[in-house]
Amino acid sequence: MRIFHDANAARHDPTQFFRRGTLIAHPEQPERYTVLRDAVVADGHELVQAADSGLAPILAVHDESYVGFLRDIWERRAEVPGIVDEVLTGHFARPQMHRKPDGMLGLVGYYLADTSTPVRAGTWDAVYGAAQAAIAAADAVHDAGYAYALCRPPGHHAYADSAGGFCYLNNTSIAAERLRQRLQGRIAILDIDVHHGNGTQGIFYARRDVFTQSIHADPANYFPFYAGYADETGRGEGQGFNRNLPLPQGTDDATWLIALSDALSAIAAYQPAALVVALGLDAAADDPIGCFKITRLGFAEAAQAIARLGVPTVIAQEGGYLCEALPRNLIAFLSAFEAARQGK
Ligand code: SP5
Ligand code: ZN
């Protein structure tokens, strides 16, 4: 399978984040990229540096001033008094506080939704590269039928105008919108990261031309808490085109695969021109921040079932944190997907 990546992925290097009163090591480490890259290369997949398609496909999903903020904030950090190694904020805008300030100090709390998304020296280059990997994979499915985007940092918690949950640009959504424009057809997104794809839901919530579904841990007591419930089904003309399948913490392969099969039936009924799989591997049993018990076999079965839809598919990397199973689960997923497509 072709693996689209950008060599700048490792340049985003968050060190710590503030979790319930304590600073802990940041789980979204550069090694996630190198471990996954080395594993796919060792398994014989073809590594391709993503072409640079510029800002236009990013701006097709994201707010222009938000993207400008992400691109420029490191260079303009002198405007945020006291910043040394990273731009991070302890103040946050809330929905009822709807004034957008002019100054950078206020803007950091307007655009960054939590303390998991610092901006450091290499952040923009990595974030931009991750989006380009998603775009390049979308452009590749025309002839290949499927491709994998090794996106880092991940994207599905990023809304049109905010970063959060380790995410800055919504790579999955950027790929979906790119496919929609290129194919002039309806696009389905299937998010199997253990966390609800709240940014992706938000981006497409009022649209029916992109059908979003997410299978994840019940947000009642799990990140992202404020979205991801089963009664969130879309708005306006998008009513009925968002679907959440929350599952209890501790969910195992059997339960997860039943929910997956339910989601796949809905995709088949929608008859999309293409599919984007938001592939979080943090549903894995030994993931350090996950809460499901998905095994390597579970990921392989999921890949096989998804592949059997026979729809052109972009697989975009979302979460999945450093542990022994991380590279093994990616290889299992990609191999099973490819084998099912090639009728093996
Ligand atoms: C893309 C993605 O998977 N984002 C996840 C964001 C989760 N944010 C909450 C993290 C809580 C981290 N707990 C760390 C425990 C380390 N031992
Ligand atoms: Zn996740």
Side-chain angles (χ1 to χ4, degrees), residues 156-157 165-166 193-196 223 280-283 289 318-321:
H156 73 152
H157 300 306
F166 316 157
D193 188 285
V194 75
H195 304 98
H196 172 240
F223 188 86
L281 294 166
D282 46 10
I289 75 170
E318 291 288 356
Y321 301 94

Side-chain angles (χ1 to χ4, degrees), residues 8-341:
N8 280 328
R11 295 191 50 221
H12 169 54
D13 189 10
T15 54
Q16 49 190 15
F17 98 101
F18 192 59
R19 178 173 179 263
R20 289 174 234 159
T22 349
L23 285 168
I24 64 160
H26 202 296
E28 206 288 283
Q29 285 296 305
E31 290 73 28
R32 295 182 58 248
Y33 161 72
T34 48
V35 162
L36 295 176
R37 181 197 60 196
D38 295 351
V40 293
V41 169
D43 205 48
H45 295 282
E46 182 194 351
L47 194 65
V48 186
Q49 165 66 47
D52 185 350
S53 296
L55 281 174
I58 294 170
L59 296 174
V61 160
H62 286 280
D63 179 80
E64 189 167 6
S65 39
Y66 169 61
V67 174
F69 167 84
L70 282 182
R71 186 193 53 203
D72 299 337
I73 182 63
W74 181 251
E75 293 306 324
R76 295 179 64 173
R77 63 191 180 282
E79 295 170 44
V80 188
I83 290 301
V84 183
D85 293 329
E86 61 184 25
V87 177
L88 196 53
T89 177
H91 51 257
F92 301 95
R94 298 179 57 79
Q96 62 273 37
M97 300 157 68
H98 46 73
R99 188 66 68 98
K100 181 176 162 188
D102 293 324
M104 281 292 176
L105 179 56
L107 283 178
V108 292
Y110 186 81
Y111 288 132
L112 307 178
D114 60 42
T115 59
S116 79
T117 45
V119 177
R120 300 169 65 93
T123 299
W124 169 252
D125 290 337
V127 161
Y128 181 81
Q132 296 303 329
I135 296 159
D139 290 349
V141 304
H142 304 298
D143 29 271
Y146 52 86
Y148 169 71
L150 178 36
C151 300
R152 179 195 177 257
H156 73 152
H157 300 306
Y159 287 76
D161 66 352
S162 66
F166 316 157
C167 302
Y168 301 80
L169 294 178
N170 196 310
N171 310 308
T172 287
S173 296
I174 292 167
E177 180 59 20
R178 178 76 161 188
L179 286 163
R180 195 194 62 74
Q181 292 188 10
R182 287 287 174 99
L183 301 176
Q184 295 289 307
R186 323 201 285 178
I187 308 301
I189 294 176
L190 173 63
D191 190 323
I192 59 172
D193 188 285
V194 75
H195 304 98
H196 172 240
N198 57 332
T200 312
Q201 169 174 309
I203 286 167
F204 296 113
Y205 205 59
R207 287 171 53 171
R208 61 195 301 135
D209 56 351
V210 178
F211 173 36
T212 46
Q213 290 190 99
S214 181
I215 299 170
H216 50 263
D218 188 339
N221 202 24
Y222 202 67
F223 188 86
F225 307 110
Y226 313 111
Y229 298 85
D231 63 0
E232 296 159 14
T233 55
R235 172 171 20 94
E237 68 167 49
Q239 180 59 53
F241 295 89
N242 183 78
R243 203 156 166 253
N244 288 323
L245 294 89
L247 297 171
Q249 296 190 24
T251 285
D252 60 8
D253 287 352
T255 306
W256 193 65
L257 290 167
I258 290 168
L260 179 75
S261 149
D262 182 347
L264 294 178
S265 302
I267 293 171
Y270 184 70
Q271 295 186 283
L275 168 68
V276 182
V277 179
L279 178 61
L281 294 166
D282 46 10
D286 41 1
D287 188 275
I289 75 170
C291 66
F292 282 179
K293 294 181 178 150
I294 308 310
T295 67
R296 176 161 50 157
L297 198 61
F299 282 108
E301 284 190 32
Q304 185 179 59
I306 295 166
R308 284 186 176 148
L309 284 172
V311 174
T313 301
V314 169
I315 301 163
Q317 186 62 48
E318 291 288 356
Y321 301 94
L322 292 169
C323 61
E324 246 180 71
L326 177 65
R328 285 196 280 115
N329 288 337
L330 177 61
I331 295 306
F333 189 95
L334 297 182
S335 312
F337 188 96
E338 198 152 43
R341 274 303 169 88

